[in-house]
Amino acid sequence: MISLLIDLLISSIFLIASGHHLLRFSGIKKKINSNEAGLFGLIFLGILSLIINFFIPLGKNINTIICLSILISFFIQNRNDFENVKKIVISSLKVTLIAFVFISFSKNFDPDAFLYHLPYTNLINEHKILPGSTLLHFRFGHTSIMQYVNAIFNNQIFGINGITIPISLIFSFFFIFLLEEIFKILKNKDSFNLYSFYIILAFIFLCLRMNRYSDYGNDHPSTIFFIYFTSIFIKNFKYFDLDFKKYLSIVASFIFTLKIFYFIPLILCAYLWLSKINLKIINIANSISVLLLISWFFKNILVSGCIIYPASFTCINNLPWYDLSKNYFVNANQISLESEAWAKNWNTHRKKEINLSEDINKDNSQRNYIENFLWLKEWSNIHGKHIIKKITPFLILILILFLISRKETKVSKFKDIKLFIFLFSINLFGLTLWFLKFPIMRYGLAYIFIQIFLISFIFFRNRGLTNIRFILIISLVILISKNLIRIYNNFDYNLYPEIQNKSEYSEVKKNDFYIFYTKKGTCSYNKSPCTNYGQNIKNIDIKSYLNYKYIAL
């Protein structure tokens, strides 16, 4: 337990130092607290690890040099500012305690973590970028930049278990950020405004819906960053200065690399910059944002042959690792069709077809299911009900909050009407697109939360904050109790989330390059490169270009 506490403490200081480095490099003079610096530090490490992996593997020694360089340079820069260092250490201790409760004896995000999150992180640690990786496992085409952030935590300080740490720190930094903002709101005793209400609901939502490490994977980190981005956007909408725009541009670009479906922050940033066009749009921060996006798109092309996989219109057909055959398992059109169909509960519809002895080709079945909106009824009866079940506790607490909050005697003018309409419209657009394409709850959780918040605010805007503490305490009790119960029930588990399983591995050697596969089970974090689709290996070859190996058909 002591080792985990030490790892979390050093990691939180490492992230805070990284965040301050990125602020300095990007020329942003915006003052942020340690929790925001920690979140911003994840962006810095994501950019750094992504670019480095184009040239070399992110091995333990390289990662150790990066970690020590960032920490040492930060303390040298602050050697004469003892108070600042003291504040950072105190903040890191708070984050460490929260993260410890959140991560200890937790399970990993099963099955996705073992299917492709961990195998791709393993690939980053052991190899520089491997073009054509999706020919081994199609899910390597839609990984998140979180795999790169996780990979850089596998160093000589934290060891292999370090790759499980960043997710716990994302939760902890954001949790304390929201808590400190709530203390400010309660201290000022203001009436409800858009920002204060947003922060309160975000805290309740985090405690109720995002309270388990095992639920995070790639989706919840993107949701947290989206919610964080929106809080800054709401708070500063009336007086956005240059530094806020720069800051949001970098955050928005990072969110997109976490989950491409969360493109709305990029649109909001474009609105901020293009509403008053001038030469100030050309700056270091925007250059870093563009560099991140270009690097991410280039990585996608190298890995999958597509700028955004599996959107076939973004693919480059003449690359040796892009599959044009519709019969092959990683064809972009096939993966796009299957992914959308499965997101809309086609699997249960297919079972009904088979029971009725309907001899329908799988592709035709999926296409007919989607195009003729047969999925609406199926989805509503299965995943739609699941979503309602999951958000009902959140809605109940909002209702209780409404009933116990005090109505203001004087009806105030709707001060944020322009911002409200703007956010409502653009978020509804994102929510609608999510619903029509990939209506899985975790894919669009941020859209769902923001829409609930906006609708709720219509009823709350003339109410006071008098009895808000009761709801906040209930939320906090739910969060703490769920994690303490998990620790009690899982006390015989590993202290760190598991990253390896007991699968049996086989290997194939092609052109002096070993590829591993599992006949049963998933690859997890063990041997690399690895796939649980052994049949794919028969159709590929390993070729060389300059100092790079790549997978080709």
Side-chain angles (χ1 to χ4, degrees):
M1 288 191 180
I2 299 298
S3 63
L4 177 56
L5 284 168
I6 293 172
D7 286 350
L8 290 170
L9 178 61
I10 297 173
S11 296
S12 60
I13 297 173
F14 175 41
L15 282 174
I16 292 170
S18 299
H20 285 292
H21 279 310
L22 182 55
L23 278 178
R24 185 168 56 87
F25 293 152
S26 55
I28 299 174
K29 297 177 182 179
K30 176 185 183 295
K31 291 184 178 181
I32 58 176
N33 59 42
S34 294
N35 303 305
E36 293 178 285
L39 293 174
F40 207 54
L42 283 149
I43 301 175
F44 181 59
L45 295 181
I47 297 170
L48 197 61
S49 56
L50 173 63
I51 293 173
I52 290 174
N53 192 237
F54 282 117
F55 307 102
I56 55 175
L58 286 174
K60 279 189 175 182
N61 291 335
I62 291 294
N63 293 340
T64 304
I65 292 170
I66 293 170
C67 180
L68 291 177
S69 299
I70 289 174
L71 287 171
I72 292 170
S73 61
F74 178 74
F75 283 113
I76 289 174
Q77 290 167 11
N78 290 272
R79 62 187 180 276
N80 297 322
D81 193 353
F82 176 76
E83 283 301 316
N84 186 42
V85 173
K86 181 180 175 183
K87 286 180 181 178
I88 289 172
V89 171
I90 292 173
S91 296
S92 296
L93 286 169
K94 295 176 184 176
V95 169
T96 297
L97 292 175
I98 300 297
F100 179 79
V101 174
F102 190 64
I103 190 176
S104 54
F105 304 104
S106 288
K107 296 180 180 179
N108 223 316
F109 185 60
D110 194 20
D112 286 13
F114 298 94
L115 273 172
Y116 71 101
H117 298 175
L118 292 169
Y120 196 78
T121 300
N122 197 6
L123 184 65
I124 296 167
N125 282 142
E126 296 188 8
H127 302 271
K128 60 186 172 184
I129 192 163
L130 181 63
S133 299
T134 50
L135 294 177
L136 291 177
H137 197 313
F138 74 92
R139 289 183 177 89
F140 286 170
H142 47 77
T143 53
S144 161
I145 202 169
M146 274 306 300
Q147 273 67 73
Y148 288 86
V149 175
N150 292 339
I152 211 168
F153 276 77
N154 179 11
N155 55 38
Q156 301 292 356
I157 302 170
F158 311 130
I160 192 174
N161 286 316
I163 64 174
T164 64
I165 288 175
I167 284 177
S168 67
L169 294 178
I170 291 174
F171 170 84
S172 302
F173 280 125
F174 189 56
F175 174 81
I176 298 176
F177 165 77
L178 291 175
L179 200 59
E180 290 180 353
E181 289 297 294
I182 286 173
F183 287 151
K184 293 175 187 176
I185 292 167
L186 294 176
K187 185 177 180 180
N188 293 333
K189 297 181 180 180
D190 292 332
S191 297
F192 274 107
N193 58 46
L194 204 60
Y195 177 72
S196 62
F197 188 53
Y198 183 84
I199 291 295
I200 289 166
L201 287 199
F203 180 80
I204 297 171
F205 191 72
L206 185 72
C207 291
L208 267 63
R209 186 67 216 106
M210 304 171 70
N211 52 28
R212 294 193 306 174
Y213 180 97
S214 58
D215 282 343
Y216 268 60
N218 286 341
D219 302 302
H220 280 359
S222 59
T223 300
I224 283 178
F225 271 92
F226 195 157
I227 293 173
Y228 170 64
F229 172 94
T230 307
S231 72
I232 302 171
F233 189 87
I234 292 173
K235 187 176 183 179
N236 300 282
F237 183 76
K238 292 180 180 178
Y239 48 90
F240 269 111
D241 60 22
L242 184 61
D243 287 312
F244 275 112
K245 291 180 182 179
K246 291 177 181 178
Y247 185 78
L248 285 185
S249 293
I250 293 176
V251 175
S253 300
F254 183 70
I255 292 170
F256 186 78
T257 60
L258 286 170
K259 181 168 287 297
I260 59 169
F261 223 76
Y262 286 162
F263 58 89
I264 293 297
L266 286 176
I267 295 177
L268 294 174
C269 282
Y271 165 80
L272 292 177
W273 285 107
L274 299 179
S275 58
K276 293 181 181 179
I277 301 177
N278 55 52
L279 290 177
K280 290 181 179 179
I281 196 173
I282 303 172
N283 55 67
I284 297 174
N286 281 348
S287 299
I288 291 173
S289 301
V290 172
L291 173 65
L292 172 56
L293 292 175
I294 290 175
S295 299
W296 188 252
F297 291 144
F298 186 50
K299 185 275 299 182
N300 289 346
I301 291 171
L302 290 178
V303 169
S304 68
C306 306
I307 296 173
I308 300 175
Y309 183 83
S312 58
F313 67 91
T314 71
C315 300
I316 303 172
N317 295 348
N318 58 356
L319 289 172
W321 52 82
Y322 179 69
D323 173 43
L324 288 169
S325 171
K326 290 187 178 180
N327 296 319
Y328 194 48
F329 192 58
V330 296
N331 174 270
N333 283 313
Q334 293 297 106
I335 296 299
S336 179
L337 177 64
E338 285 210 16
S339 298
E340 183 176 349
W342 278 83
K344 294 175 176 177
N345 293 106
W346 169 80
N347 57 319
T348 55
H349 173 77
R350 183 62 170 172
K351 289 178 182 177
K352 294 175 183 177
E353 285 182 336
I354 294 172
N355 290 336
L356 292 172
S357 301
E358 295 183 10
D359 187 17
I360 303 175
N361 174 272
K362 186 182 78 169
D363 291 350
N364 292 335
S365 172
Q366 290 175 342
R367 196 167 285 107
N368 179 60
Y369 181 72
I370 294 169
E371 292 176 356
N372 293 317
F373 289 91
L374 301 178
W375 62 271
L376 278 174
K377 183 178 179 181
E378 200 76 30
W379 180 89
S380 298
N381 289 331
I382 302 172
H383 197 70
K385 288 182 178 179
H386 171 76
I387 292 176
I388 292 173
K389 178 182 177 181
K390 291 296 183 181
I391 64 173
T392 294
F394 178 57
L395 296 176
I396 290 173
L397 280 191
I398 292 176
L399 178 60
I400 295 173
L401 179 60
F402 178 80
L403 294 175
I404 66 174
S405 60
R406 173 176 51 82
K407 187 174 182 180
E408 300 288 353
T409 54
K410 183 180 179 181
V411 178
S412 60
K413 184 180 178 181
F414 202 153
K415 298 178 182 179
D416 301 312
I417 184 66
K418 180 181 177 182
L419 171 59
F420 180 87
I421 294 173
F422 180 60
L423 271 182
F424 193 98
S425 302
I426 198 165
N427 190 76
L428 184 60
F429 170 71
L431 183 67
T432 303
L433 193 61
W434 161 80
F435 177 71
L436 293 176
K437 293 299 292 181
F438 295 100
I440 297 176
M441 182 178 183
R442 56 192 173 90
Y443 289 0
L445 192 59
Y447 292 132
I448 294 171
F449 164 73
I450 293 172
Q451 208 64 35
I452 291 174
F453 148 71
L454 290 168
I455 293 172
S456 301
F457 184 74
I458 296 173
F459 302 95
F460 274 87
R461 69 184 188 87
N462 286 309
R463 306 189 79 85
L465 294 168
T466 310
N467 300 312
I468 191 67
R469 289 177 177 83
F470 174 70
I471 297 298
L472 296 177
I473 291 172
I474 290 177
S475 304
L476 200 55
V477 167
I478 292 172
L479 170 69
I480 295 172
S481 60
K482 286 194 73 170
N483 280 278
L484 290 179
I485 290 170
R486 184 206 71 248
I487 291 172
Y488 177 79
N489 291 336
N490 297 352
F491 208 74
D492 293 332
Y493 287 21
N494 291 336
L495 181 61
Y496 292 84
E498 289 186 1
I499 58 174
Q500 296 176 332
N501 54 28
K502 298 180 180 179
S503 298
E504 294 184 8
Y505 295 84
S506 300
E507 64 183 46
V508 175
K509 185 179 181 182
K510 292 194 174 189
N511 192 17
D512 295 325
F513 188 82
Y514 286 94
I515 300 173
F516 301 91
Y517 66 95
T518 58
K519 293 181 180 178
K520 290 184 179 180
T522 51
C523 288
S524 67
Y525 192 102
N526 199 318
K527 299 179 183 294
S528 180
C530 180
T531 178
N532 55 298
Y533 297 108
Q535 68 272 23
N536 288 8
I537 301 175
K538 300 176 183 178
N539 301 299
I540 63 173
D541 195 11
I542 302 297
K543 297 184 178 181
S544 300
Y545 180 76
L546 298 177
N547 197 28
Y548 287 83
K549 297 281 189 182
Y550 68 91
I551 303 174
L553 288 168

